[in-house]
Amino acid sequence: MLKKKIVVITGGAGLIGQEFVKAVVEQNGIAIIADINKEVGKKVKKELSKELKTKNIDFIKLDITSKSSLKKCINKLDKKYGKIDALVNNAYPRNKNYARHFFDVEYSDFVENLGLNLGGYFTTSQQFALYFQQQKHGNIINISSIYGIVAPKFEVYEGTRMTMPVEYAAIKSGLIHLTKYMAKYFKGLNIRVNTLSPGGIMDGQNKMFLEKYKDVCLNKGMLDKSDLKGTLVYLLSDMSKYVNGQNIVVDDGFSI
């Protein structure tokens, strides 16, 4: 479904990013791991290439908050591949004070984290869209969250040290509307923009939290990272070529 498509995945060396890389390669596309950490990114490229027995994984260093880094990345990929078919905005930058409880969040940290994440997604989309405009086609997929569409269910965190960061809610809800804004702004340019909003992803959370989380879902509860692959492939493929400005939720009913 993605044969010969060049797909850039920001934060491609991370937990979900690696699954997205696998999804692209499994559908005969070429996955570009775009990550700020060169050492980790190259390691992931090597490991996944070996695991999947493929040469269709590449790595490029990228800082999504830097216009010069973005331009360098785009120019390098264009020179090497002659095109870029899609961008998956998946990176998750944040500062050391991220995820404090509401009354402990400082203004400076709130602003910085929104700038790093939502601002980074904006800048990345802006620069890739300029390239897509010249290319006359492009596809942007933003990774948001269920907490971009519903208020936090704080009860599932009771009794744990976890919380749902206020910055996260602001970032993810803003990202969904940014998607709609861009989709409409790019009218007539053959650039489509959609959002994929996952529910919680299994990542070593404690048993009590997992049980509480499952209670507000319909069947499975927390998702495996691989549960997002099918939806991503659909949005990247020509099967969804008239899906534009939409937010697709994959959450086992958590948000209803």
Side-chain angles (χ1 to χ4, degrees), residues 63-65 91-96 109-122 124 171:
D63 176 357
I64 69 167
T65 66
Y92 189 26
R94 52 212 184 272
N95 74 13
K96 63 180 181 179
D109 289 321
F110 184 88
V111 171
E112 183 178 4
N113 281 309
L114 259 70
L116 287 169
N117 207 307
L118 187 58
Y121 276 47
F122 159 73
T124 303
I171 289 163

Side-chain angles (χ1 to χ4, degrees), residues 138-140 179-180 182-195 234-235 240-248:
N139 187 359
I140 298 173
T179 293
K180 295 176 183 179
M182 291 191 295
K184 203 154 189 180
Y185 192 83
F186 300 154
K187 180 180 178 180
L189 298 180
N190 200 25
I191 303 170
R192 60 194 183 99
V193 192
N194 291 290
T195 308
Y234 167 70
L235 288 173
S240 62
K241 60 184 176 181
Y242 299 116
V243 177
N244 204 353
Q246 303 304 307
N247 178 37
I248 299 183

Side-chain angles (χ1 to χ4, degrees), residues 97-116:
N97 294 325
Y98 178 81
R100 288 180 171 178
H101 286 262
F102 183 86
F103 291 113
D104 297 324
V105 176
E106 297 290 345
Y107 171 81
S108 58
D109 289 321
F110 184 88
V111 171
E112 183 178 4
N113 281 309
L114 259 70
L116 287 169

